[in-house]
Amino acid sequence: MSELRVRFAPSPTGYLHVGGARTALFNWLLARKQGGTFILRIEDTDVERSTKESVDAILQGMQWLGLEWDEGPFYQSDNFELYKEYVRKLLDEGKAYKCFCSADELERKRELAMKEGRKPKYDGTCRERADQPDAPHVVRFRAPQGGEVAFDDLIKGRIAFPAEELDDLVIQRTDGTPTYNFCVVIDDASMRITTVIRGDDHVNNTPRQIQLYQALGFPVPQFAHVPMILGADKARLSKRHGATSVIAYRDMGFLPEALLNYLVRLGWSHGDDEIFSLDEMIQKFDVNNVGRSASVFNTEKLLWLNAHYIKNCDTERLADLLLPHLSKRDVTTLGGPDLMLVVKSLQERAQTLEEMAERAVFYYNAPQGYDEVALAKFEKEHLLAVFAAVVERLSVCTATEPAAIDAIFKEICSENGWKMPQVGQPVRIALSGGTQAPGIGEIINVLGCDEAIRRLQNAVAFLSSK
RNA sequence: GUCCCCUUCGUCUAGCCUGGCCCAGGACACCGCCCUUUCACGGCGGCGACACCGGUUCAAAUCCGGUAGGGGACGCCA
């Protein structure tokens, strides 16, 4: 058992998006690899924006992906007393002070500074203030001045900030609630987090947090800042780029292992390897191989991976996963063809479960109409002759596998002097309604000869009525 | 504006630390051919990148300096 303790700390203000999922995955991978502990902590200090629904959505996303946490979920809202204690401590030690500046006033100063091209940091008005009126106030951290604050990021290398850049941040709001940067430090310290892996939008917060660790007398953990995920236009991934929620990918028919595999390769690599089982990921993952630059989310590659995992998925599990996508289309498998056979015939042809469900509909619902354009390529007499010949042979057919049925079609062809495409395509249309379907032998094998005959007769009736 | 970070094919990336094996390798996508009863799968091949400029060196994608572009942070949000 190693001492490694990592955490994933989302704020419950929305769903678990792919960026968060990747951060969680990297944390989880490292914990599993080193036999460490993976902790889930919900950062809900912003009571206004945090919702129970978001918490549930995040947990659901984590569970779907199989990213099990060892401790938690912990909620920062349960720790308010603890944070207050530390605020008092810093106040007593003179490491923090009360600030009576109003929010409006600060806002004005910020804008002015921006306009004049200065860094809009707090000007320290209340820093050395002698009087302590009994008035509304926030508490600010007295940031040490001079020198620089640096750290060795596991991904980005050494990063240093001049202390002058760091102003006195608010650690407690007027309403008495603590702020993010303060809570993270206390929680990470009290949970004995050894390695903080998080999005790289936190790089700028890190030096402030380090000062806080030092002021509080806590050991500073290691940091690993993961680059962001961008949309196709290289802008930060957001809703307008399409789906960003992990659960949306589930609903679109992606397998969790495919998303995981895609996510792990986004920003990380292991030589030329592309396909990783969970075990291989755990074994091969290393933060040192995480890239330093942002990466673009590419659905095409995700689809390719998904197709790969569908092809190699256990048929029974796939059938289970497919069920909800079928019922979404009002398809009942009861009394219809064996779902296992259906899935097998489609496994190599679908990139998502949605697509597979779409392609499976015809097995359960006989075609209501036919692809007339495709049908028009054949003479009516030819079609009737073909259907008649096939019906005749199928009615005495005892074949129980696709290859045997295909053999029968070869015989029909040679007996009548037809080429395979002249027979296969019409039959395919009669059975499925369209031209894009599994092989004839496969379809009939799944459907059963009786149902196939029924559909061929329907097609004959349809042609005759024209 | 200030600070921090980033920059190899359209995209994900290998190589960079420890210069030469790299006129830069793999994957997705795209194009072509083969297989084929449609659609797919699969096989083979093609297209395609070291941001730019300068320096160091016998030799630079790799080291150094600068420029440009992109992103992030600058909140009583997280």
Side-chain angles (χ1 to χ4, degrees):
Chain A
M1 191 69 181
S2 94
E3 293 304 305
L4 179 91
R5 290 173 66 83
V6 293
R7 53 34 165 215
F8 175 54
S11 59
T13 53
Y15 300 102
L16 177 64
H17 54 88
V18 292
R22 187 182 57 157
T23 303
L25 174 62
F26 285 4
N27 273 287
W28 182 83
L29 249 16
L30 201 62
R32 290 296 170 267
K33 182 191 175 82
Q34 302 191 7
T37 307
F38 177 49
I39 299 162
L40 178 61
R41 183 175 75 220
I42 305 296
E43 313 231 304
D44 57 351
T45 50
D46 185 352
V47 189
E48 296 286 303
R49 299 200 303 162
S50 302
T51 66
K52 174 82 168 60
E53 290 68 45
S54 295
V55 172
D56 291 342
I58 289 166
L59 299 187
Q60 187 187 25
M62 297 279 290
Q63 277 154 359
W64 180 64
L65 288 173
L67 302 178
E68 305 140 330
W69 50 94
D70 306 306
E71 292 179 18
F74 297 113
Y75 295 83
Q76 290 191 320
S77 53
D78 290 338
N79 292 339
F80 278 14
E81 279 315 308
L82 179 69
Y83 306 136
K84 272 185 188 156
E85 253 174 61
Y86 281 107
V87 170
R88 264 193 299 274
K89 181 168 182 270
L90 289 182
L91 235 25
D92 289 348
E93 294 173 354
K95 292 174 178 169
Y97 60 91
K98 294 177 181 176
C99 169
F100 301 88
C101 298
S102 77
D104 288 349
E105 197 178 325
L106 292 171
E107 183 60 30
R108 249 197 351 269
K109 284 183 179 172
R110 236 192 318 272
E111 273 169 28
L112 185 70
M114 286 270 221
K115 215 161 59 189
E116 291 177 353
R118 301 195 321 271
K119 185 161 178 93
K121 52 183 257 186
Y122 179 60
D123 64 1
T125 304
C126 299
R127 196 177 163 108
E128 306 302 341
R129 182 170 182 142
D131 63 321
Q132 295 288 295
D134 184 21
H137 61 269
V138 299
V139 175
R140 281 183 189 276
F141 173 59
R142 193 186 303 276
Q145 296 295 297
E148 61 170 26
V149 182
F151 60 100
D152 284 300
D153 192 277
L154 261 22
I155 291 172
K156 298 185 178 264
R158 185 186 144 91
I159 301 178
F161 291 79
E164 284 67 39
E165 289 300 318
L166 282 11
D167 61 356
D168 295 349
L169 82 169
V170 172
I171 58 177
Q172 187 177 78
R173 303 184 182 96
T174 308
D175 67 4
T177 58
T179 60
Y180 167 77
N181 278 112
F182 187 62
C183 300
V184 199
V185 169
I186 291 172
D187 284 332
D188 284 340
S190 61
M191 291 175 185
R192 305 184 334 274
I193 300 301
T194 57
T195 309
V196 172
I197 303 173
R198 71 211 329 184
D200 92 4
D201 45 337
H202 286 289
V203 168
N204 293 271
N205 288 329
T206 308
R208 302 166 187 288
Q209 292 175 7
I210 288 174
Q211 289 184 323
L212 243 16
Y213 277 104
Q214 289 165 343
L216 259 7
F218 296 146
V220 180
Q222 289 205 284
F223 294 98
H225 288 97
V226 183
M228 335 203 36
I229 298 181
L230 312 175
D233 57 358
K234 307 235 173 173
R236 193 181 187 144
L237 195 64
S238 70
K239 287 194 189 71
R240 70 194 163 80
H241 293 109
T244 57
S245 146
V246 162
I247 290 302
Y249 282 93
R250 178 197 66 185
D251 294 342
M252 287 188 287
F254 286 88
L255 264 28
E257 58 267 41
L259 223 209
L260 251 15
N261 196 149
Y262 178 72
L263 255 18
V264 82
R265 275 286 288 105
L266 201 56
W268 172 80
S269 62
H270 183 271
D272 287 339
D273 299 351
E274 294 289 350
I275 307 290
F276 299 86
S277 68
L278 237 36
D279 284 343
E280 287 168 332
M281 273 185 217
I282 292 169
Q283 194 183 97
K284 294 173 175 173
F285 185 76
D286 184 344
V287 273
N288 290 319
N289 294 115
V290 174
R292 288 164 301 279
S293 54
S295 30
V296 174
F297 192 88
N298 180 217
T299 314
E300 300 290 339
K301 190 153 186 180
L302 208 208
L303 279 168
W304 171 74
L305 278 165
N306 203 230
H308 168 84
Y309 281 103
I310 285 179
K311 254 178 282 176
N312 294 286
C313 185
D314 171 72
T315 309
E316 225 159 299
R317 171 170 170 243
L318 210 49
D320 273 348
L321 294 172
L322 186 65
L323 248 23
H325 294 91
L326 285 174
S327 45
K328 207 159 109 183
R329 293 173 170 70
D330 291 319
V331 170
T332 329
T333 55
L334 240 64
D338 180 5
L339 184 57
M340 230 45 81
L341 293 178
V342 168
V343 169
K344 270 186 188 143
S345 80
L346 263 17
Q347 230 169 324
E348 294 219 324
R349 304 178 148 80
Q351 289 192 297
T352 66
L353 294 172
E354 273 290 275
E355 187 187 343
M356 184 180 279
E358 196 56 49
R359 285 165 169 261
V361 171
F362 86 88
Y363 279 123
Y364 296 96
N365 301 336
Q368 297 299 302
Y370 303 97
D371 182 336
E372 306 254 2
V373 178
L375 222 43
K377 288 178 183 156
F378 302 95
E379 298 285 337
K380 182 173 169 182
E381 288 67 34
H382 171 71
L383 292 174
L384 289 172
V386 167
F387 293 162
V390 174
V391 167
E392 191 192 326
R393 294 296 298 262
L394 285 186
S395 55
V396 295
C397 169
T398 54
T400 53
E401 57 180 74
I405 298 170
D406 281 332
I408 292 175
F409 275 81
K410 293 239 166 60
E411 283 174 33
I412 295 176
C413 281
S414 57
E415 280 166 17
N416 295 280
W418 292 324
K419 297 275 184 215
M420 198 55 188
Q422 294 176 275
V423 178
Q425 197 68 331
V427 172
R428 179 171 294 105
I429 297 168
L431 297 177
S432 73
T435 58
Q436 301 183 10
I440 293 296
E442 286 180 273
I443 299 179
I444 296 177
N445 181 243
V446 174
L447 243 28
C449 287
D450 291 347
E451 175 62 17
I453 290 169
R454 217 173 351 259
R455 293 188 183 190
L456 285 164
Q457 285 168 340
N458 284 347
V460 169
F462 170 80
L463 285 171
S464 309
S465 71
K466 285 186 70 169

